[in-house]
Amino acid sequence: MPKTNETVLEIDLKALEHNFNYFKSKIKSTTKFLGVVKAFAYGNDALKIAKKLEQLNVDYLAVAYTDEGVGLRKSGVQTPILVLHPQPINFDQLVENNLEPSIYSHKILDCFLNAVSTKELSKYPVHLKFNTGLNRLGFTENDVDALIKKINAQERFKITSIFSHLAASEDANEQEFTLSQIEAFTRISSKIEAQLTHTPFKHILNTSGILNYPKAQFDMVRSGIGLYGFGNDIEIDTHLKPVASLKTIISQIHQIKSNNSVGYNRAFTSNKSMATATLPIGHADGIGRQYGNGKAYVLVNGKKAPIIGNVCMDMIMINVTDIPCNEGDEVIIFGKGNSAEEFAATANTISYELVTGISQRVKRVFIN
C-alpha cells in the first residue's frame, strides 16, 4: 500500500471477509449468521461494512438504534436488520423502513403493538429479548406466561426469534455462569415454543460464545467485534485480521534542549536534548488524553515512539530521538505491529472503546 499523506482510518474489506469466513467455519452450515454493524460498524463505516457482509450472504444485520438502520435502508441495504434497542418515538420510522425491533419489556411491547395497530399491519416481524444474567435489557423467565398470553391475543406482529445475550462468554473462569445463562435460555425458549402456533428461531451466542460454546449455537449466532478482527483471546486473534488501521503523518520535527517542556500544562519536560514530532491527530479524533504522558506509543518507520505530554485536541507529540524520520513520514497509531488491543491496553481500556471512538472527521479509506 502507498504511504498515507494525512490522518486516515484504513479499512481492509478483505480482512472483513477473512474474519467472516473464519467464524462461519466454526458453525454448522444450517446455522444463520448475524453481523453486528452498530456504532458505525464499530467505528469503521456501517454502509460499506453492511454492503460487504450482504455480498457475503450474511443472514441478518444488527444495529443499536433505529436511525442506524434507516441510514442503511436508504442506502440500499436489503438484508433483514434487527434493531437491538428501539425507542417508541421511532417506531413509525422503524416500520416504514422494514426494520425488526427487539421487544424487551412490556412497555415496549405495548407501544409497538399500538404502532402496528394504528397502521393496520399484520404479522410484523419482531424479536423477543430475554435477560438471562447480563441484567441490561430483556424480559425475565417469570414474564413468559403473561407475555405469550398477550402475544397470542393479537395478530399485528409475529415472533421471528427469541434471543438473549451472554455476559462473560470470553472468561473461562465464568464458565459455570455462562452455562447457567444458556440453560435458562433453553428453558425460556422451550416454554415459549410450547405456547406459540409457530416456531421462532433462537440465538444467544456472541463472538466469544461462537468460539467457546459451539454446542449452544441454536439457530443463529451473532458476531460484532470478531468481524473487525478481535476475538477476546490472544490465541484466537492470531486467526483473525484487524479490519482497521489508524495512520497519520509527521507534521513537524523539533529539536529541543534539556529542561524544555512539551505541550499543555508542561506535562512533559526533557532531561536531555531530544527530537520530538508533532502528529495531526488528537482527542477530537478519538485518541484521548489517557494515552498521553508515556502510556502509549505509535510506530514510526517500524520503531516505537512514545506519546509525550498531554494529548491535545488536534495534535499529539511523540519522542523520535532515536528514530530516523522526516516530516511527512507515515505513522501508525494502531494497525500492523501495534494492534488496537495493545494500544487500548496502555490506557487500561479495550479495543471496542478505542475503535468505536474514532471520530467522523477522520477520513475512511477502503482497500481490497
Side-chain angles (χ1 to χ4, degrees), residues 67-356:
D67 59 349
E68 294 176 307
V70 170
L72 295 179
R73 282 284 183 259
K74 288 185 174 179
S75 297
V77 174
Q78 298 180 351
T79 299
I81 300 174
L82 168 60
V83 181
L84 296 167
H85 197 174
Q87 307 292 297
I89 194 170
N90 303 125
F91 280 160
D92 286 345
Q93 263 192 315
L94 185 147
V95 170
E96 288 165 9
N97 288 276
N98 193 30
L99 305 173
E100 302 179 16
S102 162
I103 302 296
Y104 54 86
S105 72
H106 287 285
K107 178 183 176 181
I108 293 297
L109 187 150
D110 293 340
C111 289
F112 191 72
L113 180 57
N114 182 62
V116 291
S117 296
T118 299
K119 293 180 177 293
E120 298 184 347
L121 299 178
S122 176
K123 297 183 179 179
Y124 194 91
V126 305
H127 304 255
L128 292 184
K129 173 71 177 287
F130 281 87
N131 172 28
T132 55
L134 184 59
N135 290 315
R136 193 171 64 178
L137 290 176
F139 293 102
T140 68
E141 189 169 355
N142 292 333
D143 289 319
V144 170
D145 290 338
L147 180 60
I148 296 304
K149 184 177 181 181
K150 191 180 292 186
I151 289 169
N152 284 337
Q154 56 80 46
E155 293 187 350
R156 295 299 182 186
F157 60 75
K158 179 180 179 179
I159 308 306
T160 296
S161 85
I162 311 164
F163 74 108
S164 187
H165 196 55
L166 298 175
S169 56
E170 73 280 6
D171 190 343
N173 294 322
E174 295 292 354
Q175 185 180 66
E176 184 179 350
F177 182 82
T178 302
L179 290 173
S180 74
Q181 282 196 268
I182 294 168
E183 289 167 7
F185 180 65
T186 302
R187 287 195 309 272
I188 290 166
S189 54
S190 295
K191 287 180 182 179
I192 291 173
E193 288 176 334
Q195 298 181 62
L196 288 178
T197 57
H198 68 285
T199 303
F201 64 86
K202 301 173 285 296
H203 47 114
I204 191 172
L205 296 186
N206 54 2
T207 293
S208 295
I210 295 169
L211 301 169
N212 297 329
Y213 299 91
K215 292 181 180 179
Q217 59 188 266
F218 292 99
D219 305 301
M220 184 165 78
V221 298
R222 310 185 300 268
S223 183
I225 197 67
L227 288 176
Y228 306 103
F230 305 100
N232 295 320
D233 179 273
I234 294 173
E235 197 281 324
I236 293 299
D237 284 351
T238 63
H239 299 284
L240 302 175
K241 295 181 179 181
V243 168
S245 298
L246 183 60
K247 299 180 177 182
T248 188
I249 60 168
I250 294 175
S251 294
Q252 188 174 16
I253 295 175
H254 294 279
Q255 302 295 332
I256 67 172
K257 298 177 181 179
S258 178
N259 205 37
N260 280 182
S261 61
V262 176
Y264 286 125
N265 309 115
R266 305 188 70 201
F268 174 84
T269 301
S270 61
N271 59 10
K272 62 180 181 179
S273 295
M274 61 187 296
T276 70
T278 301
L279 314 179
I281 187 170
H283 55 72
D285 303 292
I287 306 303
R289 284 170 65 94
Q290 66 268 32
Y291 293 102
N293 296 308
K295 290 188 178 68
Y297 66 85
V298 299
L299 294 181
V300 179
N301 295 326
K303 297 184 181 299
K304 295 179 180 180
I307 298 172
I308 57 175
N310 287 324
V311 174
C312 308
M313 182 180 290
D314 313 295
M315 286 169 271
I316 60 177
M317 283 71 79
I318 59 175
N319 183 352
V320 293
T321 303
D322 300 316
I323 304 174
C325 59
N326 298 293
E327 293 173 359
D329 281 1
E330 182 178 84
V331 178
I332 296 175
I333 308 296
F334 61 75
K336 188 175 182 180
N338 188 24
S339 74
E341 282 282 10
E342 294 171 308
F343 190 86
T346 63
N348 197 31
T349 187
I350 57 175
S351 58
Y352 297 60
E353 182 178 49
L354 175 61
V355 298
T356 59

